[in-house]
């Protein structure tokens, strides 16, 4: 098998907000370093940051503070976040949003007095979400792409990472094994520092929002490499995914939280608002609460013709809605729905993995030279991510990762020797589908999506999850029995569909094992058989690692090193606006 070899100082996997910010910071920190970015698709044209509609949480307004943003994040995460990471997020967001404006060139919406406009998002005590209408992600990625391309950064487009390669002596990361999707050939890129920023994405569910190229490849590679993952049971369902019917791929696409923040209503099939039956905050409750409320209405049969509920904006004025949310209004119009003047049917949709690789504030991991940032990481959000904290997370920690890698690579004098055994194993694993008869891969992926939606979805209980775990194992066996008919490796999309499904099946098992282990209900993880949150003071998080085909799981106590349950960094109760003097 022909394998080409390549060297770089810093190798970045992924070109979303985390990856591009890392490239920018690394190159500016030390222009002499060779920085390479690799992506399954095209630079700036794929991934999830580009799809961000809502905006960017940052404490800027009078009366708001990083302490209040921090408390909202900890409370929203149900006291499971790693607190030093959450603090770095809210503190770094202030610096990063100024950088986005003044150095990267982003144009965000402004108030008449020239200050940044900040809109309401659920679960927050202030309107702190900076945005550009409802197309914030496109603005950020386009400007980042321009900045990166103005620098001497090597682009490895349509390069699929399939294995993290350790050093032969076990001293750290040595490089990454890729498939060049254009030629079908294998390429090893040796690097002093590697960033895992592939973006995860829970696309193993029937309804999901992430970009179709997101199939948890980074997490699957990390587990095979030996890294530990945390909080993997915490799959966030966005409450309002477009329900377009079986004939459109638009089903699952997010109708962003700003709609509810602006005063949008959720109504069931009987035309009744229902969210106050589940939470006093109504439509502005956190994503996990609203998703469960919608799911309960669906299960009770109070639905529209396609089985969902409706979001209604018309009472705010169709012209105002069309002006404020042009992206979503046009998207719904393309599917035959009138968001501005009518109702649109929606369904909870798998949106974000709070879980991921364990990492540190400087974005280092347990393996020297291997860094991580963005949705591949766990610990920042705990049991629930606040809307608007996602793109802040990617850009804050992406920049930190770039600075850390530049410092690290600048003092490393040589490349580590590659573990050729792992390279060979990676190639053999990728070649496996060509040794089996062709099969209906898309049917197997549909079966997996139904299993995860039905058995390990919005509402969970032991019997269903045990059934789901059995089904996931069967899907894994079925996948190993089928292969790819066309032996031409060039742009062989069926081959990559097979590899995508392998990653999704493996991570579905991890999610299910973690969910079975957590016998309480926190944030995105709700057990109908264990509906109580448990004692906050004795909170734990799940940590998993690979042991051959088995998964080792441990419960790790949460460290309350900044604030403890029952206390706050602010004088008012977390989640409440400051009291106005009499």
């Amino acid at each position: 098998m022909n394998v080409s070899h390549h060297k770089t100082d810093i190798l970045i996997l992924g070109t979303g907000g985390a990856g591009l910010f890392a490239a920018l910071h690394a190159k500016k920190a030390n222009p002499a370093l060779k920085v390479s970015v690799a992506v399954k698709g095209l630079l700036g044209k794929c991934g999830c940051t580009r799809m961000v509609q809502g905006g960017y949480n940052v404490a800027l307004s009078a009366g708001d503070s990083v302490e209040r943003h921090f408390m909202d994040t900890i409370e929203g995460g149900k006291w499971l976040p790693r607190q030093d990471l959450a603090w770095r997020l809210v503190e770094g967001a202030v610096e990063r949003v100024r950088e986005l404006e003044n150095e990267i060139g982003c144009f965000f919406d402004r108030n008449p007095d020239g200050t940044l406009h900040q809109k309401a998002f659920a679960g927050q005590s202030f309107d702190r979400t900076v945005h550009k209408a409802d197309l914030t992600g496109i603005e950020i990625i386009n400007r980042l792409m321009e900045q990166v391309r103005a620098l001497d950064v090597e682009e490895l487009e349509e390069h699929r990472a399939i294995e993290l390669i350790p050093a032969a002596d076990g001293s750290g990361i040595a490089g990454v094994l890729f498939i060049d999707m254009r030629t079908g050939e294998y390429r090893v890129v040796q690097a002093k520092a590697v960033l895992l920023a592939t973006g995860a994405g829970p696309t193993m569910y029937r309804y999901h929002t992430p970009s179709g190229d997101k199939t948890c490849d980074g997490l699957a590679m990390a587990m095979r490499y030996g890294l530990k993952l945390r909080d993997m049971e915490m799959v966030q369902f966005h409450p309002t995914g477009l329900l377009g019917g079986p004939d459109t791929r638009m089903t699952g696409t997010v109708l962003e939280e700003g709609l509810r923040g602006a005063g949008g209503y959720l109504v069931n099939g009987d035309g009744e608002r229902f969210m106050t039956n589940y939470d006093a905050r109504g439509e502005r409750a956190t994503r996990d609460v609203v998703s469960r409320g919608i799911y309960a209405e669906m299960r009770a049969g109070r639905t529209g013709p396609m089985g969902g509920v409706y979001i209604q904006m018309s009472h705010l004025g169709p012209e105002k809605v069309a002006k404020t949310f042009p992206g979503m209004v046009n998207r719904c119009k393309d599917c035959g729905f009138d968001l501005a003047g009518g109702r649109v049917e929606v369904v909870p949709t798998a949106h974000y993995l709070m879980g991921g690789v364990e990492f540190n504030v400087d974005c280092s991991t347990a393996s020297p030279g291997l860094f991580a940032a963005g949705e591949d990481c766990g610990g920042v959000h705990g049991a629930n991510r606040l809307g608007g904290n996602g793109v802040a997370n990617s850009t804050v920690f992406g920049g930190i990762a770039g600075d850390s890698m530049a410092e690290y690579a600048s003092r490393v004098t040589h490349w580590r020797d590659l573990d050729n055994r792992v390279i060979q194993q990676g190639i053999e694993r990728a070649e496996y589908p060509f040794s089996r008869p062709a099969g209906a891969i898309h049917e197997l992926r549909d079966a997996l999506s139904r299993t995860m939606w039905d058995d390990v979805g919005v509402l969970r209980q032991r019997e269903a999850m045990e059934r789901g775990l059995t089904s996931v194992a069967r899907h894994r066996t079925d996948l190993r029995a089928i292969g790819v008919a066309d032996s031409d490796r060039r742009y062989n999309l069926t081959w990559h569909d097979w590899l995508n499904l392998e990653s999704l099946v493996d991570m579905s098992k991890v999610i299910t094992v973690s969910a079975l282990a957590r016998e309480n209900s926190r944030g995105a993880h709700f057990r109908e058989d264990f509906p109580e949150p448990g004692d906050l003071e004795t909170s734990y998080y799940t940590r998993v690692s690979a042991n051959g085909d088995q998964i080792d799981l441990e419960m790790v106590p949460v460290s309350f090193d900044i604030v403890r349950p029952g206390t706050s960094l602010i004088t008012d109760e977390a989640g409440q606006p400051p009291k106005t003097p009499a």
Side-chain angles (χ1 to χ4, degrees), residues 248-281:
T248 173
R249 288 294 187 94
M250 294 299 291
T251 286
T253 300
V254 163
L255 298 182
E256 63 118 322
E257 198 160 288
L259 295 174
R260 290 179 286 118
Y265 294 161
L266 291 174
V267 297
N268 59 26
D270 298 330
E272 301 168 339
R273 288 182 70 185
F274 58 86
M275 266 313 301
T276 52
N277 297 332
Y278 301 99
D279 193 283
R281 295 168 293 180

Side-chain angles (χ1 to χ4, degrees), residues 172-192:
I173 189 79
V176 178
L177 174 64
F178 292 92
I179 297 170
D180 183 339
M181 299 167 73
R182 300 164 300 183
T183 65
E185 296 177 348
Y186 295 95
R187 170 176 285 185
V188 171
V189 178
Q190 211 169 348
K192 296 174 181 176

